[in-house]
Amino acid sequence: MPTQPHKPPRPIAPRGSSLAGKAYWAMVQRVALTAACIDLGYIGLFLWLGSVPLALVNLGSIALYLGAYALIQRRRNVPGLVLIWAEVIGHSALGSLLIGWDSGFHYYLLLFVPAIVIANAGRYAVPIVVALLAYYVGLRALCDHLGPLDPLQGHGMQIVNWIHICIAFALSAALAGYYRRTILIAEGRLLKQATLDGLTGLYNRSHFQTQAQHALALCQRTREPVALLLCDVDHFKQVNDTHGHAVGDQVLQAVAQIMSRNLREGDLLARWGGEEFLTLMPCSTAGAAQEVADRIRQAVQATTLELGEGSAPLQVTLSFGVTQVQGTQDLKAATARADRALYASKRAGRNCVSVDLG
């Protein structure tokens, strides 16, 4: 019986499982290194303030953070995160108990709250946050009961508190900024997936229709003509059957690039489906679109696709159908006319342009 793959505990987001997971573990590594650098500075600070115990605590913290970084670097995420939790919980307790609650060591516990919520599924986040709150309140009560065990002299307490306030604000801003960038990247990827064809990078069918309606409405107000151009790669099934789908994909990408180079910035180009491409050309007559189609046809015909050593270069051709669009309500009918014109080109022997004005 095959063994089941090891799965990390549910409370921890597995590294690489999603964009949020990758961002989380990358952020954890950065936090570990940043915290180690901060603790290095704390060693000098507490030696200057006369607190040797806290200087030693920070020395131990550096070792824990570097260990956590090394573990996460090796994808041993859970042990690495355990070390970071142990450091923050232990360090906040020792600092607060040694020099007092007003030192601000407890601020670092609060920084865990957004990380907990983001890294865990909903049913785990709440109990973990509640447990952290219980620890926080209990530590406060213990500090109030015992008082500082090794208080700092002079203005040492105020200096440490001010430093902790500044660091807590800086870390909060950095974490918020990091997650904001992650959200923006995710939004960009989702927008790309929703609007673009994954193979050619052109508009997909649904986004083309949305953009076309806007363009047609504008041209209808200005009474500018609009042309529609539909093309198809000739004998594309034969290309796939003879050379494989990978070569077929290269053909589609090459055709998309040639068409993009030969169209205007305001023209809307989409992969309409399979080996078909559809172009809406605002402010263009059917005659002008026919000239553009013929220019693209010649450019594609003159292009060869190198298939590697031992294989002859591949050449493909395009057949075109062109029509005029009468308004926003005519797009579907215009597409049907362009399709009829395209099949007229096929019947005429392919590698040509036909016009159907209805």
Side-chain angles (χ1 to χ4, degrees):
M1 177 180 291
T3 58
Q4 295 294 322
H6 173 69
K7 295 181 179 179
R10 285 291 300 277
I12 307 300
R15 184 177 184 179
S17 64
S18 63
L19 180 63
K22 291 178 181 178
Y24 174 76
W25 291 113
M27 179 270 296
V28 169
Q29 285 185 287
R30 291 187 182 185
V31 167
L33 284 181
T34 302
C37 293
I38 292 173
D39 285 334
L40 183 62
Y42 272 158
I43 292 175
L45 172 67
F46 287 116
L47 288 176
W48 175 63
L49 293 175
S51 179
V52 175
L54 272 179
L56 294 175
V57 168
N58 281 278
L59 186 62
S61 295
I62 293 173
L64 290 175
Y65 279 126
L66 294 180
Y69 179 88
L71 287 170
I72 297 173
Q73 189 74 17
R74 294 180 177 89
R75 297 184 181 271
R76 299 183 62 187
N77 298 336
V78 175
L81 197 60
V82 168
L83 283 185
I84 293 177
W85 269 92
E87 193 288 326
V88 175
I89 290 174
H91 199 159
S92 61
L94 290 173
S96 299
L97 290 171
L98 285 171
I99 63 175
W101 182 260
D102 291 338
S103 61
F105 277 100
H106 54 89
Y107 297 151
Y108 298 109
L109 293 173
L110 302 178
L111 295 177
F112 263 103
V113 176
I116 291 170
V117 174
I118 291 172
N120 293 274
R123 60 176 178 169
Y124 292 107
V126 172
I128 294 175
V129 170
V130 170
L132 182 63
L133 174 62
Y135 177 82
Y136 187 90
V137 173
L139 180 60
R140 171 62 190 267
L142 185 61
C143 289
D144 289 344
H145 176 71
L146 296 177
L149 302 179
D150 186 23
L152 297 175
Q153 302 300 316
H155 296 289
M157 176 74 79
Q158 290 86 346
I159 293 173
V160 173
N161 182 260
W162 293 337
I163 292 174
H164 283 159
I165 289 174
C166 293
I167 292 176
F169 266 77
L171 288 177
S172 296
L175 291 176
Y178 194 83
Y179 281 119
R180 181 178 183 274
R181 287 193 298 273
T182 301
I183 292 171
L184 292 176
I185 292 171
E187 286 180 345
R189 290 183 179 179
L190 290 173
L191 179 62
K192 185 176 180 180
Q193 291 173 3
T195 59
L196 301 182
D197 172 61
L199 178 63
T200 62
L202 304 179
Y203 285 156
N204 59 28
R205 189 171 186 142
S206 61
H207 189 60
F208 172 87
Q209 291 173 321
T210 301
Q211 295 297 104
Q213 289 297 327
H214 294 315
L216 287 171
L218 178 61
C219 289
Q220 196 167 21
R221 288 196 297 270
T222 59
R223 300 183 182 278
E224 295 285 352
V226 181
L228 192 68
L229 184 157
L230 179 65
C231 72
D232 179 279
V233 181
D234 296 328
H235 302 295
F236 186 71
K237 183 178 184 303
Q238 184 178 336
V239 172
N240 279 333
D241 292 344
T242 304
H243 303 285
H245 289 278
V247 172
D249 288 347
Q250 292 179 51
V251 168
L252 295 177
Q253 291 169 337
V255 169
Q257 292 173 5
I258 293 171
M259 294 189 69
S260 297
R261 289 197 298 266
N262 285 276
L263 292 169
R264 301 167 303 177
E265 184 176 349
D267 295 335
L268 303 177
L269 174 61
R271 183 183 178 192
W272 193 241
E275 67 273 24
E276 289 187 337
F277 298 87
L278 187 64
T279 305
L280 187 78
M281 302 180 65
C283 307
S284 179
T285 63
Q290 185 178 8
E291 293 177 1
V292 172
D294 198 58
R295 184 170 66 245
I296 295 172
R297 181 192 64 78
Q298 294 178 40
V300 170
Q301 185 179 15
T303 301
T304 57
L305 186 64
E306 299 294 335
L307 300 183
E309 187 176 352
S311 299
L314 176 65
Q315 288 183 295
V316 297
T317 59
L318 299 183
S319 296
F320 288 83
V322 175
T323 191
Q324 202 81 48
V325 187
Q326 303 304 322
T328 55
Q329 304 303 316
D330 187 48
L331 182 60
K332 184 176 180 180
T335 305
R337 293 195 300 272
D339 192 53
R340 287 201 306 265
L342 171 62
Y343 276 93
S345 293
K346 297 285 188 179
R347 291 192 298 270
R350 294 182 169 84
N351 192 24
C352 61
V353 181
S354 299
V355 178
D356 186 336
L357 299 179

